[in-house]
């Protein structure tokens, strides 16, 4: 990763460190939602969400 003027460039993306943190949280949320749907389709109640 290359750091320049308070942004981080990785591949074709150049985002602030806070932007990368938001992207990581969004990615985690996406996978949690996928797992929740899978569990519900199999008759299992997913665990309660505990964000912090």
């Amino acid at each position: 990763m290359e750091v320049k003027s308070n942004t981080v460039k990785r591949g074709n993306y150049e985002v602030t460190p806070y932007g990368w943190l938001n992207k990581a949280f969004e990615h985690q949320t996406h996978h949690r939602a996928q797992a929740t749907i899978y569990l519900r389709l199999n008759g299992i109640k997913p665990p309660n969400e505990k964000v912090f």
Side-chain angles (χ1 to χ4, degrees):
M1 280 193 277
E2 177 184 316
V3 178
K4 244 192 321 186
S5 66
N6 206 25
T7 61
V8 179
K9 183 172 174 135
R10 186 169 184 200
N12 295 329
Y13 302 101
E14 189 167 348
V15 184
T16 65
Y18 184 70
W20 286 112
L21 184 63
N22 282 336
K23 182 63 180 164
F25 186 76
E26 174 190 341
H27 186 78
Q28 173 197 0
T29 303
H30 169 76
H31 285 285
R32 182 177 175 93
Q34 284 183 318
T36 298
I37 291 169
Y38 177 78
L39 290 172
R40 287 184 176 154
L41 287 172
N42 286 287
I44 302 169
K45 181 186 178 293
N48 292 330
E49 185 174 343
K50 183 175 181 182
V51 180
F52 300 104

